[in-house]
Structures are given as structure tokens and as C-alpha cells.
Amino acid sequence: MSQKEVTKAIFPVAGMGTRFLPATKSIPKEIMTLVDRPLVQYAIDEARAAGIKEFIFVTSRGKGALEDYFDHAHQLENQLRERKQTDLLALLQSTNMDSGAIAYVRQHRALGLGHAIWCARRLISDEPFAVILPDDVIASDTPCLQQMIEVHANIGGNIVAAMRVPPERTSSYGILDVADEAGRTLRVRSMVEKPLPAAATSNLAVIGRYILTPSVLENLDNATVGTNDEIQLTDAINEETGPRKSGVHAFRFQGQHFDCGSKLGFLRATVSFGLSHPQLANEFLEYLKTVIAHVHEV
Ligand code: G1P
């Protein structure tokens, strides 16, 4: 069955980034640099590779630097052109977005992820749409969202990226109860936001990539607060698991996930991306070897 194409993606970036204070006093977390690109650039690149044409950012007060980042830097481009620094010019230009391709909506109060997505409802019509949480960085040969879009083209409905997590970590994620255990695409019976390990039905967790039906936005129209007194996206998607609803599948993506919303996750991503960076990999590896040798000595 062929489905309506997914051409819009919502990027919720309104969070305060308290885990990265004091850095986030003056820079949005999404602008923090993973090797040589801001976190948000990885999310944008993944969306573009998956065929997304319209990029909707849900922002909040203090996110000005994020909006500025997507301006075209004409003066800088001219300087690089004059100095014939063509590589840098090409790099800079590869981050330019088409005029009108980016929209910003404001989340006026921090009422949760579900509320953030609902704030973008007027920019989505009767069409499936993607959601990308830039904190969740996924390294893979085929970008995660593209893998999901390929699955969506066949089965439609709602699809959430999923990964097994240590059982003691269920209270950090949306947790899925799936009907079958085999294969990469699993029908979801229900999903719960951040259950304690004792209450969790599995250790299959939602990772920040979604393809959703517009009915999820309708569910959010009438949403009440859930876990942590926030309006949860998980609850609105869970409603679609019921009879005569659009259905939900978990997709166990191929790739390596980094939780760049935590300091340790950000450090891991930095090391991993540094080790696969074409210009840095060799020297960086040598450096890490000396660091580890030194640790073993002491
Ligand atoms: C959000 C979602 C959660 C999901 C997680 C993935 O939680 O609410 O269901 O598992 O992202 O990163 P957050 O990390 O924003 O607390």
C-alpha cells in the first residue's frame, strides 16, 4: 500500500537545557558542538536525507542563536569566495536552507513534549509528519528517519523508533508493549511514559524519531497531563493503538544511538564522531591511546 509522502518534520527545541548549565545560560543546547557541527545540524541533515522539505522548530525564549544559525551568512560567504577558500565555502553553503523552508513556532509555557508538538498543529494539514528530537543522535549508514520513511511507505500509521535499554533505565523513556518480538517492525499494543522498572512491560524504549498521523494532533487537542505533570506525546500516540485507530508500530532501527541530552552521552558521541571524522580520526585515535595507556599506568 502506498502512503502519503512525509515532507514535514517538527523539531521540539524549547527545552531549557538545565543539564548543561552554565553553558546553556547563553547558548541553546541544540547549538552545542558535536566535533564541528551544532547538534541541530545533525538532525537537519538526517531530515533532509530522508526527503523532508519543511522544517518546523518549536522554540522558546532564549533560542535566538538557533534562529540566527539558519540565516545565510552572505558576508562570510563573500569573504571566503574572495579568498578562494572553496572548501570552506562549500561547507558553509551546504548548511543553507531554502528560503521559506523553516518555520518557527513558540511554546509559551513548558508543558511537555506533547504540548510542544501540539503548538505546531496549524502548520500540519491532513498528512503524516515526522518528529525529530535533536538530543537523540543516531549514527548509521542509512539515516534513521530514512529507514522509518521506507517502512512507513509500506505500512502507514504511526511509527516510533525503538531500542532496548537496560531494564533499570525504563523511567527515562517511553516504554512499549509489543505484540510480537521478532523482526524490526513490531505492532505496539500500548505505550507508557517513563514507567518505573517494576511497572514496565518491557525494556523496549522510544527513541526520538517518530512518524505520526494527524490524528495524534487531534488527540493532543484534548490532552490532560500525564507523567511528571506534563502533556506527553507518548499518551497521544498510545490512543492510536486502540481498535479502529490508525495503529502504532515500533521500528528497531539500525544504527548507534547517543543521548546527547546528558553529559556522558554527549562525551561518548564526541569520542565516537571524532574517531570517524575523516581529518581527525588518526591523530585523535593516537591521542586516546596515550590517554588510556597513562590511565593504566596510574
Ligand atoms: C522524550 C519522550 C520519551 C522518549 C525520549 C527519547 O523524553 O517523552 O517518550 O523515550 O524523549 O529520548 P525526554 O527525553 O524528553 O524526557
Side-chain angles (χ1 to χ4, degrees), residues 40 71 77 108 113 117 121 160 239 243 262:
V40 71
D71 278 344
E77 283 184 19
H108 293 113
L113 179 61
I117 301 304
R121 69 199 177 282
V160 299
E239 286 187 44
S262 78

Side-chain angles (χ1 to χ4, degrees), residues 20 27-43 45 69 134-139 209 256-277 280 284:
F20 287 96
I27 50 160
K29 168 179 72 170
E30 299 77 19
I31 290 293
M32 292 194 337
T33 312
L34 185 50
V35 184
D36 53 7
R37 286 186 293 160
L39 217 46
V40 71
Q41 186 67 52
Y42 291 87
D45 288 348
Y69 175 76
D135 275 0
D136 284 319
V137 173
I138 299 170
R209 302 288 183 280
Q256 195 181 1
H257 167 250
F258 298 94
D259 172 14
C260 288
S262 78
K263 284 180 203 168
L264 192 59
F266 208 110
L267 282 174
R268 284 185 180 142
T270 302
V271 171
S272 180
F273 280 66
L275 286 174
S276 50
H277 189 284
L280 301 173
F284 188 46

Side-chain angles (χ1 to χ4, degrees), residues 41-87:
Q41 186 67 52
Y42 291 87
I44 287 279
D45 288 348
E46 182 176 332
R48 290 209 283 200
I52 298 296
K53 302 282 183 283
E54 292 180 56
F55 306 80
I56 302 163
F57 285 85
V58 182
T59 68
S60 60
R61 186 174 291 266
K63 298 282 176 166
L66 186 77
E67 299 193 18
D68 290 348
Y69 175 76
F70 289 109
D71 278 344
H72 293 199
H74 295 297
Q75 226 180 347
L76 189 55
E77 283 184 19
N78 286 339
Q79 272 178 15
L80 294 173
R81 204 170 286 118
E82 276 163 27
R83 293 184 195 161
K84 305 216 180 330
Q85 290 179 291
T86 45
D87 287 358

Side-chain angles (χ1 to χ4, degrees), residues 19 113 133 135-136 172-175 193-194 205-208 210 232-234 257 259:
R19 278 191 264 179
L113 179 61
L133 310 189
D135 275 0
D136 284 319
S172 299
Y173 297 94
I175 294 295
E193 182 67 9
K194 303 192 170 83
V206 177
I207 299 301
Y210 308 77
Q232 297 294 352
L233 182 60
T234 297
H257 167 250
D259 172 14

